[in-house]
Amino acid sequence: MTLTPVITEHWDAPDLYTIEGYRRFGGYRALESALKQDPDAIITTIKDSGLRGRGGAGFPTGLKWSFVPQNDGKQHYLVVNADESEPGACKDIPIMMANPHALVEGVIISSFAIRANHAFIYIRGEVPNALRKVANAVAEARRAGYLGTNVLGSGFDIDIVVHAGAGAYICGEETALLDSLEGFRGQPRLKPPFPAVAGLYASPTVINNVETICNIPYIIDRGLDWFRQFGTEKSPGFKVWAVSGHVNNPGIFEAPLGITMRQLLEYAGGVRGGGNVKFWLPGGSSVPLLTAEHLDLPLTYEEMAAAGTMLGTGTPMIFDDTVSVVKAVTRWLEFYKHESCGKCTPCREGTYWITGMLETFEHGHGRESDLELLVSACNQIAGRSFCALGDAAATPYPAALKYFRDEFVAATHTPVDDTFDPVASYIHAGAAAR
Amino acid sequence: MTISDQTLERMRELASRYPQPRSALLPMLHLVQSVDGEVTTDGINACAEVLGISPAEVTGVSTFYTMYKRKPVGEHHIGVCVNTLCGLLGGDAVYDALSERLGVGHNEPTADGKFSLERIECQAACTHAPVMTVDWEFIDDVTPAAAVDVVDRLERGEQVLSTRGPAIRTFQATEHTLAFPDDGLAGEGTSVDDKMLAGLRYAKEHNMSAPAHGQEA
Amino acid sequence: MTENTTTEIVPTVSVTIDGVALQVPKGTLAIRAAEMIGVEIPRFCDHPLLEPVAACRACLIEVEGMPKPQPACAQVVGEGMTIRTQQSSEVAKDAQEGVMEFLLINHPLDCPVCDKGGECPLQNQAMSAGRGESRFEGEKRTFDKPINVSAQILLDRERCVSCARCTRFADQIAGDPMIELLERGAQQQVGTASDEPFDSYFSGNTVQICPVGALTSAAYRFRSRPFDLVSVPTTCEHCASGCSLRTDYRRGVVTRRLAWDSPEVNEEWNCDKGRFAFAYLAEGRITTPLVREDGELRPASWPEAIDVAARGLAAAGSRTGVLTGGRLTQEDAYGYAKFARAVLGTDSIDFRARATSPEETQFLRAAVAGAPIGVTYTALEQAPFVLLVGFEPEDESPIVFLRLRKARTRVVSVGAVATRGLDKMGGELLAALPGQEAAALRDLPADIRAALEQPGAVILAGERIAASAGAPSAVSTLAASTGAALAWVPRRAGERGALDAGALAGLLPGGRPLIDAQARAQVAAIWGIDTAALPGLPGLSGDDLLTSASRVGLSALLVAGVDPVDLPDPALALRAVDTAAFVVALDHHHSAVTERADVVLPVALVTEKSGTFLDWEGRPRPFGQVFKDALTMSDATVLGMIASAIGTSAGAWDVNGIRRELTALGPWQGARAVVPGVQPQAAAGAGFRLASWRELLDAGVLQEGEPFLAATARPSAAIVSAAAAARLGSPATVTVTGPAGSVTLPLEVGAVLDDVVFVPMHSSECSIYRDLGARIGTAVDVTAGGAA
Ligand SMILES: Cc1cc2nc3c(=O)[nH]c(=O)nc-3n(C[C@H](O)[C@H](O)[C@H](O)COP(=O)(O)O)c2cc1C
Ligand code: SF4
Ligand code: FES
């Protein structure tokens, strides 16, 4: 399968981030055509396109939009989830830095479709450069008449607020994001009601991922058939893959859904130093890890599920033989413990406990009996926590144990740094020596 | 009172951007950090007053998010990603080198107040691992030596460019951007680097492209 | 208006729980549905009066068709649902045990020293729903212990299970979000802002609903173990809200009070005064009767003291005035009402130890005394509109405040201060200068009049209408002309009962007019006396008794629990006591009156007797005796002894006998007095008008001995508008000067009408009657800085 740059097609144009640059390549053409359509027709188009959310869960976007009650006399809101904080996920931030107008155009069209007059782009606070790029694009779009009242004479009013978060992975969870955007602690909300019915300010709200929204102008501009030729029946379209880890050429690669990891690896220059893939994760730390035997599976929602993992954010992380899986898993759990919002018991206390146990393994004094206790503790979180963060925290260890039990057993007597020289996994040879 | 009338005015301006004023709380706290260098009690009370909520509510919010600091940070706040990917690919060594160079640990400022250091979580830059941030601007693909060099240059007052973004300013300047993101710096520095272009370049070199509109198979 | 008793047909759904099929009202939560068949699902964050959060996950159950276990506390039962709890589902049992294990990993094992030990939901549910052994062997999280979230409330953070009951209570119920969850993850903890303590009037409720021993009160901490306590259901004696309480005691001493469940009244809440102000019960009691000899009070035997009192009172006879204060049970107030009329032949009796007026007297006779229960808490909750006149619910009847807040009813307060309490009810102010409420009611805006015309609309008039000329008349007329229901909300617990018992000149028990022949006959029959023995004409009010004591030739005073400082002219009151030839005081504590009395007779405290308070609704709130072996006698019993010493027995004097008489009499069915028709009066004088009321926590005698509670009171301040403050030059302190003197207080800017200054009526820093000689509405001077 070849690479198919669409969202990334003109990233090498130095002024793509400006409205002039974006328009030079056909930017805002989709908006002009969308505003002439019936909003419902746009929802239908997106439904028929089969576009699935790129935020991790892969929920069909058009279907989500259709849940918004129409003619209810209420304000509707569109919220863009640009909180990208999942370990391994690094595609939305580059998109916003390189092609912010695609997002802005997507937001305007999507808002028009769901009849929202206010849209919010919630960007994690730690990335000011993405924030200013998007804010600049919004300001340019406003000056160009794409935002504000009566956009392009269509009678449609829309305003976008670019909003900075302040450091909390949980705010990527859509209801926690809403609470955060309302100025509260970012803890998830009880559902029902679902955001489509009562979201931001208790009004009907659609929350979509950055990449999802960036797909919209291209689908509107180029049509359903064009879009559906990429990918598979159940996973149509293309994807901005961000390949990281022990590869020679890490970076952003845009290709259809259904491409294999082996192909992506090839485009990324292969494993560094000609080494082996020890384990890899298709899309973030919240999906179960896979091994070299899975490199030829098509990267689609359905195939990944069949392999016992998930496509997630579609941002593969590759680890070679130099990496201790015990250390990797411990680090992820330290992350989940740090990011647990504290609301529910299983996630708050479970991540505390599991992380403590894993740290004993990392230091070489894990107890063999704890191998099963850890599984049991993970099972006490999975499916029982308030939101999916807890489920995510319960994911890395069981998958790692399944493929690398020996390493955990070894960590009952030998510190992992003795087995795996940390320096060996550094990407820059000899980095430790300054 | 560290919160001036002018700051209060800007807080009200933030509040007016949203259908419900409380939505402005996160940007307002960033604004507090941009003037006070941390979330001060005065800042908390000012937010509470502008929004008509209790200081405890503001405190609950400000302590939830890691970017809000309860004690002063350095003029430059340095973060090193030590999450699995960056950490194992060299971030751990970068952190250790900086900690040694600065003589401080996690979330501590140097005695002269010039720098502070933090072990940070994944910055959505795994393709650029290991990454560090200075005042939250990216210094990508960093080595311990390069990291220490950044500190040395900042200490000497030299200009340091972010690898994806404008020249490094200060922690407080960035906090201002977080409150008012359209800071006029969108055109500064490079934002799209080799790694972001890896796929596009490969495609061009190998004559790969997405079928154009009307070209569908 | 009467209580809403329409029985709506509530739609039901069928559900099967653990194999048992049942019907439950639509919208029922699974956790409550399970209770209906006797299945107790573990829970921590769940509280029936708080909105569900489903945070603790202790209540997970299996719902057929759902892939994951669901929290029973948030799962609404749907038609045809099949639910399996821990009783019949391994999944649910395992999930619950797992959560319990998680809750315990960081919980300290300090039950033996924890206040909650023995009555701790965590301890209990860990036994019933947990696994025996903890598999956790790591290091427990620790916090510095304990921290004060207020002077009264302490927090041991390591015990906290993050159920957020306390913070949700503070926010949702009290409207005081001064405690919040801080930090996140395993570091999440309850706390306050760094410079604002949890000084909520309702803070004690959080201690009660905390399912672990994380929140404790300074008053009770380490005082006792629950299993050493004896508990008795009681009624709060502090105000007319009528809260059900539970009083716990050990070895003859009250150790704590809790709010008790009373769905129609206080639900499960109470205020901090009711919860914590009980130290007075144990301190400074009068232990023996005292009689004056050679100018000095000396201990005396009961027979001697009764004899002296009987002789003195019999000599004065109808020239005796009776002042009963506002704190008596209905039975004791009835004792005084009967004693005055049947034994002494005087009608000069008054229960009101506060500012009053003849207009109020007529209002009470006409509109309140002996009236059946009209406006209820439920009616308030359902009312489309509530108008407050001379009434600040948060301070003067806290449970009314909570109910209005809960109802989110539209509330408009006629007054001079847009208070914090009004803000928390989402209410609006209708401006009226202090003492000028009547004019505001006369010129009511059309929209408010229209709002009052809606079915179910209510006017709540507080005790302060008494001193606002024309206000009692105006509220009566307004109610009549709009059809709104009118309720009078007195402040003290005993006022409504005393009024119905006839402890007011011109009124016999049950609201009977003294001058009505039929009424007289009914009462005389019950008392077993000749109708002619009853006084023929209405006597003097308390005010008149005091102002004209010497002029009318008053020769004796019979006084129960009156603190002269509560009266608008304390000095005059004391002079009247001094001039009266013979003074008998019945009290449990010494006061300026007992000091001056000729005979002092010690009487029982609320804990030493049974009785009834009528709350503001007119609802009887009976309570039992806490200390069954107490030797003290109630006021009525003591009066009965004097009566028999005088030689007139006049029926029963014991609690049960009095209740029988009250029941036999019932409320008056005949014609009532007409409502007063006093016109609004223009304010006289120039300067700042004084606005004032009794704050909930102040220098009241029943709050003595509880420093932690006192420390949570609002700091005393003179509150003026921003404009007025600017005119004064925004000084830190101001001096308020009235006819009799000055006080210097911190200046505070508030939502007060211009030209009005608010000063607390009776705080530890100032008392307007005593220190200023001013009343509500009096023109006072306000000057910058301290008194020169
Ligand atoms: C803990 C957690 C973190 C998440 N973080 C993100 C995020 O950073 N960005 C994102 O788009 N979705 C994130 N999600 C998924 C969102 O909840 C939501 O599914 C998504 O934003 C929907 O957008 P989509 O339908 O366009 O994918 C996260 C979910 C969880 C449980
Ligand atoms: S202090 Fe008590 S009530 Fe409050 S969150 Fe903790 S356990 Fe719950
Ligand atoms: S992540 Fe906070 S409780 Fe699940």
Side-chain angles (χ1 to χ4, degrees):
Chain A
M1 209 171 268
T2 69
L3 292 168
T4 53
V6 176
I7 295 173
T8 60
E9 185 181 358
H10 303 291
W11 282 19
D12 52 356
D15 64 345
L16 181 66
Y17 77 90
T18 66
I19 198 162
E20 296 79 22
Y22 183 65
R23 274 197 295 217
R24 196 162 64 244
F25 302 111
Y28 290 104
R29 204 166 55 201
L31 175 61
E32 298 196 20
S33 93
L35 290 176
K36 295 188 189 106
Q37 298 181 35
D38 176 23
D40 287 336
I42 300 176
I43 296 181
T44 306
T45 303
I46 300 306
K47 242 188 187 164
D48 294 346
S49 76
L51 173 66
R52 296 175 66 164
R54 305 291 192 237
F59 193 83
T61 305
L63 188 61
K64 185 186 275 189
W65 291 8
S66 69
F67 292 153
V68 172
Q70 292 304 341
N71 305 316
D72 57 348
K74 282 194 185 172
Q75 285 283 353
H76 298 175
Y77 297 102
L78 177 75
V79 177
V80 176
N81 189 341
D83 193 54
E84 190 165 63
S85 307
E86 162 100 359
C90 49
K91 60 179 182 81
D92 297 334
I93 298 297
I95 292 174
M96 289 188 287
M97 292 207 287
N99 196 3
H101 278 286
L103 178 61
V104 174
E105 185 179 8
V107 168
I108 305 171
I109 298 171
S110 307
S111 301
F112 177 70
I114 64 159
R115 297 160 173 93
N117 303 112
H118 285 274
F120 299 86
I121 304 176
Y122 184 108
I123 304 178
R124 66 180 298 189
E126 297 97 324
V127 192
N129 201 43
L131 195 71
R132 64 167 67 88
K133 283 285 198 302
V134 175
N136 179 65
V138 165
E140 287 181 333
R142 190 175 289 121
R143 285 194 290 272
Y146 297 134
L147 288 173
T149 47
N150 191 17
V151 174
L152 302 180
S154 64
F156 173 59
D157 302 341
I158 170 73
D159 200 21
I160 301 179
V161 173
V162 182
H163 182 96
Y169 165 57
I170 182 64
C171 292
E173 197 285 333
E174 56 186 19
T175 60
L177 186 151
L178 293 178
D179 258 31
S180 180
L181 183 54
E182 288 185 13
F184 292 86
R185 296 159 61 76
Q187 294 188 323
R189 295 179 180 177
L190 202 55
K191 289 186 277 197
F194 290 90
V197 176
L200 190 66
Y201 312 129
S203 297
T205 302
V206 164
I207 301 143
N208 273 128
N209 171 260
V210 170
E211 188 186 349
T212 312
I213 294 293
C214 287
N215 269 272
I216 305 298
Y218 299 98
I219 298 175
I220 297 297
D221 189 44
R222 303 180 191 180
L224 279 180
D225 295 338
W226 172 81
F227 183 76
R228 290 202 71 112
Q229 72 180 302
F230 302 98
T232 64
E233 178 63 26
K234 288 183 176 153
S235 303
F238 39 85
K239 179 83 192 64
V240 176
W241 308 97
V243 182
S244 64
H246 287 129
V247 296
N248 283 316
N249 259 330
I252 306 288
F253 300 85
E254 199 172 6
L257 284 152
I259 193 168
T260 64
M261 190 65 240
R262 195 177 299 284
Q263 286 169 307
L264 278 177
L265 256 182
E266 185 192 326
Y267 300 143
V271 175
R272 59 126 186 212
N276 299 314
V277 174
K278 177 173 175 181
F279 61 95
W280 64 285
L281 298 85
S285 59
S286 303
V287 308
L289 58 78
L290 296 173
T291 64
E293 63 182 283
H294 304 105
L295 290 174
D296 292 312
L297 294 174
L299 291 165
T300 59
Y301 296 101
E302 57 277 17
E303 292 290 342
M304 290 296 106
T309 183
M310 289 178 282
L311 185 63
T313 50
T315 51
M317 286 186 276
I318 314 293
F319 295 91
D320 71 13
D321 287 335
T322 61
V323 172
S324 156
V325 76
V326 176
K327 190 166 179 169
V329 168
T330 306
R331 219 37 95 80
W332 279 319
L333 259 298
E334 283 167 347
F335 166 81
Y336 289 114
K337 174 187 166 195
H338 184 246
E339 299 299 330
S340 169
C341 79
K343 181 169 189 153
C344 75
T345 309
C347 171
R348 180 184 69 242
E349 305 297 335
T351 54
Y352 179 93
W353 186 10
I354 292 175
T355 305
M357 277 196 275
L358 283 173
E359 283 166 352
T360 64
F361 280 89
E362 187 178 347
H363 297 127
H365 36 78
R367 290 187 318 190
E368 194 135 5
S369 61
D370 283 350
L371 292 177
E372 298 318 313
L373 182 53
L374 274 164
V375 174
S376 163
C378 288
N379 289 341
Q380 280 177 197
I381 303 178
R384 296 167 185 185
S385 56
F386 191 95
C387 79
L389 192 152
D391 298 332
T395 298
Y397 173 76
L401 187 71
K402 177 167 151 198
Y403 296 111
F404 302 101
R405 189 179 186 96
D406 289 354
E407 266 185 52
F408 285 92
V409 173
T412 61
H413 47 73
T414 312
V416 297
D417 279 358
D418 293 356
T419 317
F420 294 88
D421 178 5
V423 176
S425 73
Y426 295 165
I427 194 86
H428 295 289
R434 279 178 282 126
Chain B
M1 197 51 192
T2 51
I3 303 298
S4 64
D5 287 348
Q6 192 197 344
T7 305
L8 283 171
E9 198 38 57
R10 301 228 76 188
M11 284 184 174
R12 288 190 201 100
E13 184 186 333
L14 285 170
S16 72
R17 282 187 188 173
Y18 296 86
Q20 292 185 9
R22 184 165 175 167
S23 279
L25 183 51
L26 266 56
M28 284 164 70
L29 287 164
H30 283 304
L31 184 68
V32 167
Q33 298 212 106
S34 79
V35 293
D36 281 357
E38 64 180 305
V39 175
T40 52
T41 301
D42 280 344
I44 285 175
N45 292 339
C47 292
E49 195 182 312
V50 167
L51 298 178
I53 59 179
S54 73
E57 289 174 287
V58 179
T59 307
V61 171
S62 71
T63 56
F64 185 85
Y65 299 93
T66 49
M67 290 181 80
Y68 297 132
K69 305 299 179 189
R70 259 73 52 67
K71 42 184 199 196
V73 294
E75 182 184 330
H76 295 295
H77 183 64
I78 299 179
V80 181
C81 176
V82 293
N83 202 300
T84 305
L85 198 115
C86 275
L88 273 55
L89 264 64
D92 288 354
V94 172
Y95 177 84
D96 289 345
L98 285 173
S99 176
E100 196 191 311
R101 163 68 177 79
L102 297 168
V104 297
H106 175 60
N107 261 336
E108 286 173 9
T110 56
D112 62 2
K114 192 94 178 135
F115 298 98
S116 48
L117 184 62
E118 183 180 356
R119 299 166 65 89
I120 57 177
E121 297 295 1
C122 182
Q123 294 297 294
C126 315
T127 41
H128 296 64
V131 297
M132 73 186 258
T133 58
V134 179
D135 306 330
W136 301 114
E137 307 285 359
F138 283 123
I139 309 282
D140 296 313
D141 201 8
V142 76
T143 62
V148 168
D149 184 53
V150 166
V151 169
D152 291 342
R153 284 188 289 150
L154 286 170
E155 191 152 70
R156 290 196 297 268
E158 291 173 21
Q159 192 184 59
V160 174
L161 289 177
S162 159
T163 49
R164 282 183 293 160
I168 302 300
R169 297 173 295 158
T170 59
F171 171 77
Q172 288 180 229
T174 297
E175 285 294 331
H176 196 271
T177 294
L178 295 175
F180 294 93
D182 191 13
D183 61 3
L185 300 177
E188 302 276 313
T190 36
S191 290
V192 183
D193 66 356
D194 291 350
K195 291 186 160 127
M196 284 168 61
L197 292 174
L200 183 63
R201 294 219 174 116
Y202 189 101
K204 284 192 169 169
E205 281 159 21
H206 294 82
N207 278 323
M208 296 173 172
S209 64
H213 181 38
Q215 252 193 346
E216 45 269 19
Chain C
M1 105 149 237
T2 53
E3 204 167 347
N4 193 340
T5 48
T6 45
T7 42
E8 279 169 48
I9 318 262
V10 188
T12 60
V13 294
S14 350
V15 54
T16 307
I17 302 176
D18 295 334
V20 179
L22 69 155
Q23 298 275 323
V24 298
K26 207 166 170 241
T28 302
L29 295 168
I31 199 165
R32 316 249 178 277
E35 284 166 5
M36 296 175 193
I37 58 160
V39 175
E40 181 90 353
I41 297 170
R43 81 268 322 255
F44 294 102
C45 64
D46 172 67
H47 189 285
L49 297 175
L50 300 173
E51 280 168 31
V53 279
C56 77
R57 319 302 282 180
C59 66
L60 293 172
I61 50 164
E62 212 186 332
V63 180
E64 208 170 276
M66 295 199 187
K68 299 194 232 171
Q70 297 297 313
C73 72
Q75 179 64 54
V76 174
V77 172
E79 174 58 36
M81 213 175 238
T82 301
I83 289 171
R84 276 183 281 274
T85 74
Q86 71 275 13
Q87 307 272 3
S88 68
S89 154
E90 270 311 308
V91 172
K93 187 167 186 300
D94 186 59
Q96 292 175 8
E97 286 177 354
V99 170
M100 199 62 73
E101 179 173 47
F102 280 146
L103 279 173
L104 293 176
I105 66 169
N106 273 314
H107 196 79
L109 300 168
D110 65 348
C111 307
V113 297
C114 176
D115 274 345
K116 209 80 170 192
E119 57 179 9
C120 174
L122 181 62
Q123 201 177 31
N124 298 342
Q125 296 180 57
M127 309 275 202
S128 60
R131 299 193 185 102
E133 288 285 294
S134 170
R135 301 179 294 171
F136 175 76
E137 291 180 20
E139 226 172 279
K140 284 183 192 281
R141 169 181 65 216
T142 53
F143 290 104
D144 284 343
K145 69 171 336 197
I147 57 170
N148 270 94
V149 289
S150 74
Q152 179 67 270
I153 310 291
L154 292 102
L155 170 67
D156 288 87
R157 288 168 295 179
E158 58 262 66
R159 293 182 189 151
C160 173
V161 293
S162 274
C163 68
R165 279 187 180 182
C166 56
T167 51
R168 286 182 290 145
F169 169 84
D171 183 32
Q172 293 170 20
I173 307 295
D176 292 326
M178 302 160 178
I179 48 170
E180 277 289 322
L181 290 172
L182 312 183
E183 309 289 340
R184 73 179 187 212
Q187 288 302 312
Q188 180 171 265
Q189 53 187 272
V190 173
T192 61
S194 58
D195 57 356
E196 188 182 78
F198 181 40
D199 286 344
S200 166
Y201 283 168
F202 304 96
S203 69
N205 292 292
T206 62
V207 175
Q208 188 171 342
I209 61 175
C210 177
V212 293
L215 291 166
T216 51
S217 67
Y220 177 70
R221 199 172 162 84
F222 302 137
R223 287 269 300 270
S224 190
R225 313 293 302 160
F227 33 83
D228 292 333
L229 298 175
V230 183
S231 303
V232 185
T234 54
T235 301
C236 184
E237 76 274 30
H238 285 289
C239 86
S241 284
C243 288
S244 282
L245 301 183
R246 191 184 95 186
T247 298
D248 287 355
Y249 72 91
R250 190 179 59 154
R251 286 194 233 115
V253 181
V254 173
T255 50
R256 68 173 172 182
R257 279 179 169 174
L258 304 173
W260 217 230
D261 193 7
S262 183
E264 301 208 68
V265 179
N266 53 306
E267 302 195 299
E268 299 180 29
W269 318 124
N270 75 341
C271 78
D272 282 2
K273 184 153 83 175
R275 184 178 298 266
F276 295 122
F278 58 80
Y280 82 94
L281 292 168
E283 283 165 23
R285 294 292 302 280
I286 304 174
T287 48
T288 65
L290 306 167
V291 296
R292 192 168 296 279
E293 187 174 76
D294 302 330
E296 293 290 323
L297 281 176
R298 63 152 174 86
S301 70
W302 272 102
E304 182 194 3
I306 292 287
D307 185 53
V308 176
R311 275 188 282 117
L313 290 173
S318 65
R319 281 168 300 120
T320 306
V322 181
L323 300 174
T324 69
R327 307 199 174 283
L328 300 176
T329 60
Q330 192 184 16
E331 292 85 353
D332 282 337
Y334 177 87
Y336 284 97
K338 173 154 77 174
F339 188 83
R341 277 61 172 253
V343 180
L344 301 178
T346 176
D347 186 58
S348 296
I349 178 167
D350 203 330
F351 64 87
R352 299 167 301 178
R354 52 176 173 78
T356 66
S357 63
E359 185 191 357
E360 187 209 13
T361 309
Q362 193 181 341
F363 165 77
L364 294 177
R365 286 176 187 153
V368 185
I373 296 184
V375 180
T376 59
Y377 281 107
T378 310
L380 286 186
E381 203 171 320
Q382 292 166 350
F385 178 70
V386 175
L387 186 73
L388 310 176
V389 185
F391 180 41
E392 175 58 25
E394 195 189 17
D395 280 314
E396 296 175 309
S397 200
I399 303 304
V400 171
F401 166 77
L402 289 188
R403 201 56 75 91
L404 287 174
R405 223 186 97 71
K406 177 186 181 193
R408 296 168 204 279
T409 320
R410 179 174 173 217
V411 172
V412 167
S413 171
V414 181
V417 190
T419 58
R420 195 177 82 169
L422 186 63
D423 190 45
K424 286 187 280 191
M425 293 185 290
E428 313 143 49
L429 185 73
L430 179 67
L433 285 173
Q436 301 290 300
E437 287 82 356
L441 292 175
R442 180 192 56 202
D443 307 330
L444 212 57
D447 70 307
I448 293 185
R449 180 169 285 278
L452 283 171
E453 283 165 359
Q454 301 169 83
V458 173
I459 302 170
L460 291 181
E463 69 168 25
R464 284 178 283 125
I465 60 163
S468 177
S473 310
V475 291
S476 311
T477 341
L478 188 61
S481 69
T482 58
L486 172 63
W488 176 66
V489 188
R491 215 171 46 81
R492 291 198 175 105
E495 295 215 357
R496 180 67 201 267
L499 178 64
D500 281 18
L504 183 64
L507 276 180
L508 294 170
R512 288 175 171 74
L514 177 84
I515 50 170
D516 186 287
Q518 192 196 352
R520 296 167 67 84
Q522 289 172 344
V523 172
I526 293 280
W527 289 349
I529 58 167
D530 208 13
T531 311
L534 291 170
L537 288 172
L540 299 178
S541 70
D543 257 355
D544 290 340
L545 274 174
L546 297 172
T547 43
S548 51
S550 45
R551 187 156 36 83
V552 298
L554 190 71
S555 39
L557 272 177
L558 172 61
V559 189
V562 174
D563 186 348
V565 86
D566 291 341
L567 298 167
D569 193 340
L572 173 97
L574 288 178
R575 267 200 313 280
V577 176
D578 285 334
T579 32
F582 186 69
V583 178
V584 177
L586 275 64
D587 213 330
H588 32 70
H589 285 83
H590 283 290
S591 71
V593 175
T594 59
E595 274 166 27
R596 290 167 169 79
D598 296 285
V599 181
V600 179
L601 299 166
V603 289
L605 290 161
V606 280
T607 43
E608 296 159 346
K609 62 186 177 189
S610 59
T612 308
F613 288 123
L614 291 196
D615 70 6
W616 65 270
E617 304 165 289
R619 185 193 302 268
R621 308 292 284 156
F623 61 91
Q625 192 170 345
V626 174
F627 299 118
K628 297 261 173 2
D629 50 359
L631 298 173
T632 43
M633 291 175 280
S634 70
D635 293 63
T637 308
V638 172
L639 292 174
M641 289 165 68
I642 304 175
S644 54
I646 291 176
T648 323
S649 89
W653 299 92
D654 64 301
V655 152
N656 295 328
I658 289 175
R659 281 248 66 86
R660 275 195 300 277
E661 289 185 9
L662 274 165
T663 310
L665 275 168
W668 174 236
Q669 308 291 349
R672 309 177 66 93
V674 292
V675 292
V678 176
Q679 290 306 307
Q681 280 166 32
F688 281 90
R689 301 280 149 199
L690 183 65
S692 190
W693 57 81
R694 292 289 294 250
E695 292 181 318
L696 184 75
L697 301 178
D698 66 0
V701 287
L702 301 196
Q703 296 163 61
E704 277 170 13
E706 185 41 68
F708 303 115
L709 176 66
T712 66
R714 298 201 180 140
S716 294
I719 310 178
V720 299
S721 69
R727 280 202 304 280
L728 291 163
S730 302
T733 58
V734 289
T735 299
V736 181
T737 307
S742 308
V743 285
T744 300
L745 290 170
L747 177 70
E748 206 178 289
V749 172
V752 179
L753 298 187
D754 226 3
D755 300 324
V756 170
V757 58
F758 172 87
V759 172
M761 190 173 271
H762 185 50
S763 75
S764 51
E765 280 79 29
C766 89
S767 181
I768 63 164
Y769 298 145
R770 181 192 65 205
D771 303 338
L772 303 179
R775 299 185 179 208
I776 294 172
T778 302
V780 292
D781 266 350
V782 180
T783 52

